[in-house]
C-alpha cells in the first residue's frame, strides 16, 4: 500500500508544471489549504490560511528523497509521542513499588503529560507559522530528551513529576509539525492520505510501549529504558534538524481571515455543544489506555504480567487501526447523507455501553470492552469533521487547535480525577478493590452521558449563532 502511494505521489510531482513558478506556488498553496481542510486530523493553528508552497530547491527531489528526508523523520517524532503517552501503563507497578505512590499520585504523574501538552498547543501553532516545522520540532524534542533524563535519574516524586511534564512539553509539537511538514513538501492532493499513513505508523509507538517495553524493563530497568528514550529523542531531534530541507516560511496572510481569532471560535455555542462530548469521550479513552487499563487488569481481573501486557498490546493495535476504520466509515456514511456528528454520537453511546459493561461486570471477557475503549481514542477524526461543518475552511485550522486543547486537557483532568476517586478505597495487598474502579469509571460515564444529551439536543440559539457566524465570515472575506 505504501509503495503504491509513493508511486502515485512520484507521478504527481513529476507531472507538476515548472514553467511558471509563481502560478505553481499559488496552485500548490491553494491545494495544500484545501487538502488540510479535508483532513479531519489537522490541528495546526491557521494551517489552511498559512499553507506554504514547496521551496524551489526541494521541488526537484525524488519522492524517495522526500519520504526519507521529510516523512520518516516526522513519523519518528510522532512515534515517540505515542510511546511516551502510554509507557506509564507498563511501568506503573515498578514506579508505585519504588516510590510508594498511591493511585492519586500515579494519576497525577501520568496526566501531567497532558497538561503541558495542552498548554503548548496554541504557542506551537504560532511558532510553526513563523519558523517552520524543522526548527520547531527539533527544538521541542530536546525538551523531551531532557525530561526523559530527569525522569530516569529521579529519586523523588516531584522530580518524576517535573520530568514527565517536560516530556509532555517536548512532544507537544509532534503531530502538528508533521502535518505542517507534509503540507509544505508534498503534493496537496496526497496530504490526507499521508496524514493517515503517518498516524498509523506512529501509533506503533503505543504498541512498543507494551510487550517490547516490558522486555527492556526486565533487562535494563525502567530507568535504563528512559535513558534509551532520551537518546532516541535526541537522535530524532538531530535527524530532523540535519536532514529535513530548510524552508523559509511565507509571511502571514493579510486577508480578513486573520481577523478571526480563537475568541470568535470559543464564543460560538456550536463549539460548546461539541467540545464536552469530544473531550469527555476521547479524553477518557486516552486516560484509561495510558494508565488505568493496566491497573484494572491487575487489580480487578487479577491478570498476571504476560496476560496484562497482551491486553495492552491489543488495545494499542485497536488505537492504530481505529483512525483508519472511523475515517472509512465516516466517508461512506456521508455519501448516504449521514454526517460525522451522528456517527460521533453513535460512537459515544457505544463507548458508554462498553464502560458500563465493565462497571456492572457483565459476564464477558473484559478485553472486548477495552479494545473498543482504546479505538475511541482515534475518534478525533470525527470531531474535526464536525468542526468542518460548523466553520468555514478558512478558520478550520484554528477551530481544530481550539478543540485539541480540550481533548488533551480533558485527558489530564479525567486521568487525575480517576486516581483521586480510586484512592478513596484502601488498597489491600497493593491492589485496589473493584468497587473503587467501578465508582471512578461511573463518574466518567456520568459526565459522558450529560455531554451526549447536550450534544443531541442543540438549542435554537446555537443554530442561529451558526448562521450568524457564517454570514459574518463571508461578509468579512468579501470586505477583505
Amino acid at each position: 500500500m505504501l509503495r503504491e502511494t509513493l508511486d502515485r505521489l512520484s507521478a504527481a510531482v513529476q507531472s507538476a508544471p515548472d514553467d511558471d513558478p509563481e502560478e505553481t506556488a499559488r496552485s500548490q498553496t491553494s491545494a495544500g489549504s484545501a487538502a488540510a481542510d479535508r483532513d479531519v486530523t489537522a490541528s495546526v493553528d491557521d494551517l489552511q490560511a498559512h499553507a506554504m508552497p514547496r521551496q524551489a530547491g526541494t521541488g526537484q527531489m525524488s519522492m524517495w528523497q522526500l519520504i526519507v528526508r521529510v516523512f520518516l523523520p516526522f513519523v519518528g517524532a510522532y512515534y515517540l509521542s505515542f510511546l511516551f503517552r502510554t509507557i506509564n501503563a507498563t511501568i506503573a507497578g515498578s514506579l508505585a513499588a519504588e516510590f510508594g505512590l498511591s493511585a492519586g499520585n500515579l494519576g497525577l504523574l501520568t496526566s501531567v503529560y497532558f497538561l503541558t501538552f495542552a498548554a503548548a498547543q496554541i504557542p506551537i501553532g504560532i511558532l510553526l507559522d513563523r519558523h517552520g516545522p524543522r526548527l520547531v520540532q527539533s527544538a521541542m524534542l530536546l525538551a523531551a530528551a531532557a525530561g526523559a533524563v530527569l525522569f530516569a535519574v529521579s529519586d523523588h516524586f516531584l522530580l518524576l513529576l517535573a520530568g514527565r511534564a517536560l516530556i509532555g512539553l517536548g512532544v507537544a509539537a509532534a503531530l502538528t509539525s508533521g502535518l505542517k511538514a507534509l503540507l509544505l513538501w508534498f503534493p496537496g492532493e496526497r496530504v490526507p492520505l499521508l496524514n493517515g499513513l503517518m498516524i498509523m505508523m506512529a501509533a506503533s509507538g503505543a504498541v512498543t510501549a507494551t510487550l517490547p517495553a516490558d522486555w527492556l524493563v526486565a533487562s535494563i530497568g525502567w530507568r535504563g529504558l528512559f535513558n534509551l528514550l532520551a537518546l532516541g529523542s535526541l537522535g530524532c531531534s538531530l535527524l530532523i534538524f540535519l536532514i529535513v530541507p530548510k524552508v523559509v516560511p511565507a509571511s502571514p496572510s493579510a486577508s480578513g481571515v486573520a481577523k478571526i481569532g480563537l475568541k470568535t471560535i470559543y464564543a460560538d455555542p456550536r463549539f460548546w455543544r461539541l467540545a464536552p462530548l469530544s473531550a469527555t469521550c476521547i479524553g477518557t479513552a486516552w486516560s484509561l489506555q495510558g494508565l488505568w487499563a493496566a491497573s484494572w487488569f491487575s487489580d480487578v481481573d487479577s491478570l498476571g504480567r504476560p496476560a496484562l501486557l497482551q491486553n495492552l498490546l491489543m488495545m494499542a493495535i485497536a488505537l492504530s487501526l481505529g483512525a483508519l476504520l472511523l475515517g472509512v466509515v465516516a466517508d461512506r456514511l456521508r455519501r448516504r447523507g449521514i454526517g460525522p456528528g451522528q456517527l460521533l454520537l453513535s460512537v459515544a453511546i457505544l463507548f458508554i455501553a462498553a464502560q458500563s459493561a465493565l462497571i456492572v461486570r457483565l459476564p464477558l471477557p473484559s478485553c472486548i470492552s477495552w479494545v473498543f475503549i482504546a479505538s475511541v481514542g482515534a475518534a478525533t477524526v470525527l470531531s474535526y469533521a464536525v468542526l468542518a461543518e460548523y466553520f468555514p475552511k478558512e478558520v478550520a485550522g484554528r477551530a481544530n487547535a481550539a478543540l485539541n486543547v480540550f481533548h488533551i486537557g480533558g485527558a489530564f483532568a479525567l486521568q487525575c480525577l480517576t486516581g483521586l476517586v480510586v484512592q478513596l478505597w484502601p488498597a489491600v495487598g497493593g491492589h485496589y478493590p473493584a468497587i473503587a474502579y467501578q465508582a471512578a469509571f461511573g463518574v466518567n460515564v456520568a459526565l459522558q452521558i450529560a455531554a451526549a444529551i447536550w450534544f443531541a439536543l442543540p438549542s435554537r440559539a446555537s443554530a442561529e449563532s451558526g448562521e450568524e457566524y457564517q454570514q459574518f465570515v463571508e461578509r468579512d472575506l468579501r470586505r477583505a
Side-chain angles (χ1 to χ4, degrees):
M1 178 180 178
L2 181 59
R3 180 58 184 269
E4 181 182 356
T5 301
L6 298 178
D7 291 341
R8 292 180 179 177
L9 286 169
S10 181
V13 170
Q14 293 173 2
S15 63
D18 296 325
D19 52 343
D20 188 351
E22 182 177 354
E23 181 62 27
T24 301
R26 287 196 301 268
S27 63
Q28 287 173 342
T29 301
S30 175
S33 298
D37 178 59
R38 291 191 303 269
D39 181 9
V40 294
T41 64
S43 62
V44 181
D45 187 38
D46 205 18
L47 193 61
Q48 288 81 4
H50 301 307
M52 295 173 286
R54 285 173 289 156
Q55 210 169 350
T58 64
Q60 303 303 318
M61 289 195 301
S62 69
M63 188 50 55
W64 281 110
Q65 287 177 311
L66 286 174
I67 292 296
V68 172
R69 295 185 61 185
V70 178
F71 181 76
L72 292 180
F74 285 102
V75 166
Y78 197 27
Y79 166 90
L80 288 170
S81 177
F82 269 98
L83 202 164
F84 277 123
R85 181 198 299 176
T86 54
I87 190 64
N88 273 20
T90 301
I91 65 172
S94 299
L95 293 176
E98 183 171 339
F99 292 91
L101 303 181
S102 66
N105 293 144
L106 278 174
L108 177 61
L109 176 62
T110 305
S111 63
V112 74
Y113 167 99
F114 294 110
L115 180 63
T116 53
F117 197 113
Q121 289 303 294
I122 301 303
I124 283 173
I126 297 172
L127 291 173
L128 283 171
D129 287 335
R130 292 180 179 176
H131 305 290
R134 171 179 166 270
L135 290 177
V136 172
Q137 184 63 89
S138 58
M140 297 295 289
L141 282 175
L142 294 178
V149 170
L150 179 58
F151 198 92
V153 301
S154 296
D155 58 0
H156 190 275
F157 174 70
L158 292 180
L159 290 179
L160 286 175
L161 198 65
R164 178 73 174 171
L166 196 54
I167 289 171
L169 177 64
V171 298
L175 172 60
T176 51
S177 291
L179 295 175
K180 189 79 169 183
L182 296 182
L183 194 63
L184 289 174
W185 284 289
F186 288 89
E189 66 274 10
R190 296 302 179 187
V191 168
L193 177 59
L194 283 171
N195 285 347
L197 290 173
M198 181 179 73
I199 293 173
M200 287 189 65
M201 294 173 67
S204 62
V207 177
T208 307
T210 57
L211 285 172
D214 188 64
W215 294 333
L216 284 174
V217 170
S219 301
I220 61 177
W222 66 268
R223 295 181 186 274
L225 172 61
F226 270 81
N227 282 324
L228 285 180
L229 292 176
L231 290 176
S233 301
L234 179 60
C236 190
S237 171
L238 292 176
L239 187 69
I240 290 174
F241 182 78
L242 294 176
I243 76 170
V244 172
K246 296 181 180 179
V247 64
V248 180
S251 59
S253 171
S255 70
V257 180
K259 302 175 184 178
I260 303 173
L262 291 171
K263 182 178 179 180
T264 306
I265 294 170
Y266 281 136
D268 194 300
R270 295 170 304 161
F271 180 89
W272 291 105
R273 282 186 55 235
L274 171 65
L277 179 64
S278 191
T280 54
C281 290
I282 295 170
T284 296
W286 291 353
S287 164
L288 296 179
Q289 184 173 14
L291 179 61
W292 298 116
S295 298
W296 173 283
F297 292 141
S298 175
D299 295 352
V300 180
D301 290 344
S302 301
L303 298 182
R305 188 72 174 172
L308 182 153
L309 290 170
Q310 288 175 2
N311 283 350
L312 292 179
L313 177 63
M314 288 191 294
M315 291 177 66
I317 294 173
L319 173 64
S320 179
L321 298 178
L324 178 63
L325 178 61
L326 289 174
V328 171
V329 172
D331 181 67
R332 293 187 177 182
L333 290 180
R334 186 189 292 273
R335 298 175 185 176
R336 299 182 180 182
I338 301 176
Q342 294 169 275
L343 179 57
L344 177 63
L345 182 60
S346 300
V347 169
I349 292 172
L350 293 175
F351 182 59
I352 292 171
Q355 295 168 89
S356 299
L358 294 176
I359 294 172
V360 301
R361 305 297 304 278
L362 287 181
L364 297 171
S366 66
C367 63
I368 296 176
S369 294
W370 283 112
V371 164
F372 184 81
I373 288 171
S375 67
V376 174
T380 50
V381 298
L382 303 178
S383 301
Y384 296 138
V386 174
L387 280 184
E389 294 183 343
Y390 289 170
F391 301 102
K393 65 180 182 180
E394 291 82 4
V395 295
R398 287 186 177 90
N400 290 345
L403 185 60
N404 204 35
V405 172
F406 279 82
H407 290 155
I408 303 166
F412 161 75
L414 294 169
Q415 197 167 66
C416 191
L417 175 63
T418 300
L420 293 175
V421 175
V422 168
Q423 73 175 12
L424 293 177
W425 282 261
V428 179
H431 298 281
Y432 288 94
I435 185 62
Y437 293 96
Q438 290 170 315
F441 293 1
V443 172
N444 292 340
V445 167
L447 294 174
Q448 294 156 28
I449 291 174
I453 294 174
W454 175 251
F455 181 81
L457 299 174
S459 65
R460 180 178 178 182
S462 175
E464 292 175 350
S465 173
E467 295 176 358
E468 293 175 357
Y469 180 86
Q470 185 71 24
Q471 293 172 2
F472 162 76
V473 172
E474 293 175 354
R475 184 170 59 252
D476 198 30
L477 292 175
R478 287 196 300 268
R479 188 181 302 120

